[in-house]
Amino acid sequence: MELSYFPGCSLKAQGHENNLSLIEFSRAVHVELIELPDWNCCGSSSAHAIDPTVAALLPQRNLSLAPKGRPLLVACPSCLLRLKQAHLALVRDEAAQAAYEQRWQTEFDPDLEIIHFFELFSRIDLSRYLDNGENRLNNIRFAPYYGCMLARPPDLRFEANYHGLMESVLTRLGAKALSWGYGTRCCGTFLSVAKPDLATTVVNGIVSGAMDVEAECLVTACAMCHLNLEIRCTLPKRIPILHFSELLSLALGTSDPKRWFPKHLVDPRPLLKKRGLL
Amino acid sequence: MIDLDSCDQSLFPTVHRSSRTDFAACLQCKSCGNGCPFVSAMDFTPNQIIRLVQLGMAPQALESATIWICVGCNTCTINCPMAIDIPAVMDALRHLALERGVAIAEPDILEFHREVLHSVERYGRTHKLEIMMRYKLKTLDLFSDLGVGLRMLKKRKLDLTPSKIDDIHHLDPVFKG
Ligand code: SF4
Ligand code: SF4
């Protein structure tokens, strides 16, 4: 299966371990990701905060670059929201479509499918790759952390929902999901820069919540959450924060995880060695 | 105290139009404020902001810290029984605050957003290291967080060179109109 791939700034510029493991995992399940040529930033949290025009047009350019007939896979939950909202706004407004075609000199594609990485699991048959590996993740205990990705604005309320996806997939791969209270607490996004103390309070609450239920690691679905949980946690003792894609590619035995594990601020290698996963 | 005579009758319709949100339906059930992870840093709770807009209390709403602290996480939106798009209201209020040139309660947050957009305009993507350096210079907060920054550099979490798009002029319709 071929998909267009939108990594977004967070994965491309600091979440290298997320990007690499996501690409490796996809390759292992025979999904070829073709990076959207010359994609741009979707506007992040800042465009919609201060400039509605820029916020509306940044995602539009990305839509205009997507080849017809090939779904666009997005790695970052926040980029996904921006791209979907921009697409929906165009679908609903013919005048805006005409302006779009004029602006970007290309036909608007109302049928473009924009999917999150999570939606891959409804398009592939994971069991095909698992015949001899029932317990590949060796009961590693994880707290699934979704941040704000399960929440959404009212106009997207009927879109695909990902509640419990990390739990079901990783359990299938032999990990042990814990239930806990902080899985959908926002990580603080840009407050991590502008109000670091506030972000630290929130992040410490999340990480200690995971440790209270005896998690050995936290698993995140978003590169920005991952970064905030790593850099803003000030607890003396803390557990590693892993990207969902890292555990996936580890379970599928993809090539060289040693390339990305050293990039973590809390080194996950001792834990992974202890569990016999490295 | 609410002085109805001094209320700004244009606030409600203006915010209603630009947020495309029917916040007249608000029940003041306070679910939004109770679930907001950052309410402790706000001067008005999200439901209070909605009320201020309904009443036309423009200075209080537009000069509030709340509209800048809100990160748009949608935690409130999914809890709201009336499906009110609260972050869209916050967006609309921020835009109006900038348009009317009122005092900004959280200038550092505004500065951060401006630096992000500056980076996108220049490279087409965000260059985190430059955003951080310029933000620190502008807010004259040079040394806090130095440790975090250095650890991030060491782990290559902050790339030294920006990831750029090839055809920056293709973005002209976005920034140059
Ligand atoms: S949750 Fe919705 S209805 Fe309840 S107070 Fe907040 S905005 Fe109003
Ligand atoms: S969107 Fe804003 S007001 Fe709503 S919960 Fe998140 S930070 Fe609070």
Side-chain angles (χ1 to χ4, degrees), chain A residues 64-138:
Chain A
S64 79
L65 301 172
K68 242 186 150 76
R70 193 192 287 156
L72 175 62
L73 182 133
V74 184
C76 163
S78 155
C79 301
L80 178 83
L81 220 90
R82 306 281 157 243
L83 291 166
K84 276 202 165 185
Q85 274 189 311
H87 190 254
L88 195 69
L90 287 165
V91 167
R92 285 181 181 160
D93 182 344
E94 273 178 27
Q97 280 176 33
Y100 167 98
E101 296 187 343
Q102 173 75 23
R103 185 176 300 120
W104 305 111
Q105 294 295 311
T106 182
E107 207 183 315
F108 174 65
D109 177 6
D111 302 318
L112 177 69
E113 270 191 284
I114 306 171
I115 62 172
H116 184 256
F117 170 61
F118 279 16
E119 280 163 70
L120 214 55
F121 294 93
S122 55
R123 293 173 190 233
I124 57 169
D125 178 9
L126 200 55
S127 58
R128 261 185 63 199
Y129 307 94
L130 289 177
D131 16 81
N132 55 4
E134 278 51 57
N135 193 13
R136 298 192 181 194
L137 292 175
N138 201 15

Side-chain angles (χ1 to χ4, degrees), chain A residues 148 186 191, chain B residues 31-33 35-39 42 45-47 66 69-77 79 86-88 90 94:
Chain A
C148 67
C186 168
L191 295 176
Chain B
S31 297
C32 50
C36 173
F38 308 107
V39 73
M42 294 173 170
T45 60
N47 53 291
T66 301
I69 296 287
C70 169
V71 300
C73 65
N74 284 313
T75 308
C76 50
T77 324
N79 288 332
I86 297 149
M90 302 286 188
R94 247 181 269 115

